[in-house]
């Protein structure tokens, strides 16, 4: 498990950052800044490295730094890796972003006061995760100031060892990784329940904090390079829901089960542990009824089918039959949320003719 977590913590995205043309005051214009951005980091934390590159050409005024991708202002409190997974269906390397030091779009982005804002957003998410897992956030609220500082420094410095040392005090463990050892075993579909594989004879259960980003498209595409661009946050639905992970007799709780529990309105019951159901899924793929998602989604939808085009977590596209316990223990972000990006193709709505 540690090897996979090291890859996540060591993951970085090459960025090529351009200064917006309206803020260029010198000729020739400055060259773009090149930087490796940690996947688990946040864009505002890059400003101290970027600003010196552009400082000689900036117009007078007070800095209000923000970034955009193809004109879309980027939400600073979403980890950089999640933004990349969400907005680049076909990964773009280097990722070309534009930085602005003026004209903060307060109608789209909440205010950001640099590292302090990012830190408190992180701590608040950690409190929320603790509440979901344990029913309270006392462990986070009662952190000593030195521990809180060291935890935050471990995140921005990518120091996994220091992070584990401090975060273990918070008692936010959720599930055991019962299936990691034989993840790719040929007997995957016939294995016994989680309770049977636990050496203590106990079934581990838990509520997993999940943040789901659902990107809805109307155009069909076969290759990711043909996926339509996300040009508005209105096309992204943000769903903050816990997943209760548990073992059912004869079944392994999979990523597919977790997605179904997050979006029960969209997934008819099909067990990937049943060979007949699996064959049916291979034939029909994954189909779900349409509707834009929202934080407080209602259980009534128009008829029709939508297709799951993409599920991406930490830059990878895991198979839906992968044990969810492995996903949680290896791909969770430092604030103990699992961030999942999903692309849904919605059917075209036929508008009746007046004639």
């Amino acid at each position: 498990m540690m090897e996979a977590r090291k890859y996540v913590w060591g993951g970085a995205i090459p960025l090529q950052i351009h200064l917006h043309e309206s803020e260029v005051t010198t000729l020739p214009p400055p060259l773009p800044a090149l930087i490796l951005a940690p996947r688990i980091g946040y864009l505002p934390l890059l400003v101290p490295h970027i600003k010196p590159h552009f400082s000689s050409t900036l117009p007078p005024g007070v800095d209000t730094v923000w970034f955009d991708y193809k004109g879309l202002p980027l939400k600073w409190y979403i980890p950089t890796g999640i933004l990349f997974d969400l907005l680049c269906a076909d990964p773009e390397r280097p990722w070309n972003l534009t930085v602005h030091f003026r004209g903060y779009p307060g109608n789209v982005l909440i205010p950001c006061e640099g590292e302090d804002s990012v830190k408190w957003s992180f701590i608040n998410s950690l409190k929320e995760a603790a509440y979901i897992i344990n029913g309270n956030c006392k462990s986070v609220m009662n952190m000593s100031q030195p521990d809180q500082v060291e935890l935050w420094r471990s995140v921005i410095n990518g120091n996994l060892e220091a992070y584990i040392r401090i975060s273990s005090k918070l008692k936010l463990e959720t599930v055991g990784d019962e299936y990691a050892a034989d993840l790719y075993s040929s007997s995957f579909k016939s294995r016994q329940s989680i309770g049977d594989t636990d050496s203590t004879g106990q079934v581990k259960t838990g509520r997993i904090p999940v943040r789901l980003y659902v990107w809805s498209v109307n155009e069909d595409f076969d290759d990711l390079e043909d996926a339509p661009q996300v040009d508005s946050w209105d096309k992204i639905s943000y769903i903050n829901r816990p997943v209760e992970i548990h073992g059912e007799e004869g079944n392994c709780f999979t990523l597919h089960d977790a997605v179904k529990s997050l979006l029960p309105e969209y997934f008819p019951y099909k067990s990937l542990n049943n060979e007949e159901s699996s064959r049916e899924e291979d034939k029909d793929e994954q189909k779900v009824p349409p509707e834009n998602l929202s934080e407080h989604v209602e259980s009534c939808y128009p008829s029709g089918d939508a297709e799951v085009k993409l599920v991406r977590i930490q830059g990878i596209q895991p198979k839906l039959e992968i044990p969810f316990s492995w996903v949680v223990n290896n791909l969770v972000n430092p604030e103990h949320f699992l961030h999942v990006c999903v692309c849904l193709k919605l059917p075209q709505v036929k508008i009746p003719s007046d004639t």
Side-chain angles (χ1 to χ4, degrees), residues 248-267:
E248 297 180 357
E249 185 176 355
N251 292 325
C252 163
F253 192 82
T254 66
L255 176 59
H256 179 265
D257 296 320
V259 172
K260 286 195 303 182
S261 68
L262 286 164
L263 302 172
E265 306 89 348
Y266 291 77
F267 285 85

Side-chain angles (χ1 to χ4, degrees), residues 145-197:
Q145 187 63 25
D147 278 356
Q148 188 179 111
V149 170
E150 186 172 356
L151 182 70
W152 175 240
R153 300 311 298 179
S154 72
V155 173
I156 63 177
N157 293 328
N159 189 336
L160 178 58
E161 290 75 15
Y163 171 82
I164 292 175
R165 184 173 63 253
I166 300 299
S167 64
S168 63
K169 300 178 183 181
L170 301 177
K171 307 297 182 184
L172 297 181
E173 294 79 10
T174 49
V175 293
D177 195 4
E178 293 88 354
Y179 294 92
D182 58 347
L183 177 61
Y184 299 105
S185 168
S186 60
S187 62
F188 174 79
K189 291 183 180 179
S190 62
R191 77 175 88 242
Q192 294 182 336
S193 68
I194 289 177
D196 293 334
T197 61

Side-chain angles (χ1 to χ4, degrees), residues 313-332:
I313 306 172
Q314 294 291 10
I316 66 174
Q317 295 169 228
K319 293 183 178 180
L320 291 182
E321 64 265 26
I322 192 172
F324 191 59
S325 60
W326 188 93
V327 174
V328 171
N329 285 310
N330 290 281
L331 304 182
V332 71

Side-chain angles (χ1 to χ4, degrees), residues 10 28 62 93 160 206 222 294:
V62 179
R93 295 184 180 90
L160 178 58
D222 295 321
S294 64

Side-chain angles (χ1 to χ4, degrees), residues 1-292:
M1 182 176 77
M2 278 300 297
E3 285 302 312
R5 293 191 72 185
K6 286 179 181 178
Y7 277 112
V8 170
W9 275 67
I13 300 167
L15 302 182
Q16 184 167 256
I17 301 177
H18 308 260
L19 180 64
H20 193 267
E21 59 183 11
S22 67
E23 300 177 24
V24 175
T25 62
T26 60
L27 289 175
L31 295 174
L34 301 175
I35 191 169
L36 274 177
R39 288 191 61 91
I40 63 171
Y42 301 83
L43 289 176
L45 302 181
L46 302 177
V47 173
H49 306 284
I50 296 172
K51 184 178 177 182
H53 184 83
F54 296 115
S55 59
S56 62
T57 189
L58 292 176
V62 179
D63 292 343
T64 54
V65 186
W66 56 287
F67 297 81
D68 81 62
Y69 175 57
K70 295 183 177 180
L72 178 68
L74 299 180
K75 297 188 176 183
W76 57 265
Y77 50 85
I78 298 178
T80 304
I82 310 305
L83 289 171
F84 183 65
D85 292 347
L86 188 62
L87 301 179
C88 292
D90 184 31
E92 174 186 311
R93 295 184 180 90
W95 192 21
N96 284 275
L97 302 183
T98 300
V99 64
H100 305 250
F101 290 82
R102 305 290 182 268
Y104 195 84
N107 60 324
V108 178
L109 304 178
I110 62 175
C112 177
E113 303 297 331
E115 183 180 331
D116 284 346
S117 293
V118 181
K119 175 184 176 181
W120 288 116
S121 175
F122 173 86
I123 295 297
N124 285 334
S125 291
L126 191 61
K127 291 177 184 177
E128 186 177 354
Y131 187 86
I132 291 171
I133 295 168
N134 294 330
N136 64 75
C137 54
K138 292 179 181 179
S139 61
V140 180
M141 296 287 290
N142 294 334
M143 285 183 71
S144 67
Q145 187 63 25
D147 278 356
Q148 188 179 111
V149 170
E150 186 172 356
L151 182 70
W152 175 240
R153 300 311 298 179
S154 72
V155 173
I156 63 177
N157 293 328
N159 189 336
L160 178 58
E161 290 75 15
Y163 171 82
I164 292 175
R165 184 173 63 253
I166 300 299
S167 64
S168 63
K169 300 178 183 181
L170 301 177
K171 307 297 182 184
L172 297 181
E173 294 79 10
T174 49
V175 293
D177 195 4
E178 293 88 354
Y179 294 92
D182 58 347
L183 177 61
Y184 299 105
S185 168
S186 60
S187 62
F188 174 79
K189 291 183 180 179
S190 62
R191 77 175 88 242
Q192 294 182 336
S193 68
I194 289 177
D196 293 334
T197 61
D198 192 332
S199 61
T200 65
Q202 296 179 346
V203 176
K204 289 189 176 182
T205 65
R207 284 165 58 83
I208 312 302
V210 176
R211 286 182 172 156
L212 189 70
Y213 307 84
V214 182
W215 165 37
S216 302
V217 300
N218 296 116
E219 304 90 338
D220 196 11
F221 59 91
D222 295 321
D223 298 321
L224 292 180
E225 63 182 11
D226 298 323
Q229 177 188 337
V230 179
D231 54 11
S232 169
W233 285 108
D234 291 339
K235 295 182 179 179
I236 304 293
S237 298
Y238 173 89
I239 299 174
N240 201 24
R241 290 176 177 170
V243 170
E244 184 172 346
I245 183 170
H246 54 82
E248 297 180 357
E249 185 176 355
N251 292 325
C252 163
F253 192 82
T254 66
L255 176 59
H256 179 265
D257 296 320
V259 172
K260 286 195 303 182
S261 68
L262 286 164
L263 302 172
E265 306 89 348
Y266 291 77
F267 285 85
Y269 179 78
K270 290 180 182 178
S271 172
L272 285 176
N273 299 96
N274 180 277
E275 293 186 4
E276 182 178 350
S277 296
S278 295
R279 287 195 299 268
E280 191 66 24
E281 277 193 317
D282 289 340
K283 184 172 66 174
D284 295 338
E285 297 184 353
Q286 295 160 12
K287 305 279 184 169
V288 289
E291 180 63 47
N292 286 326

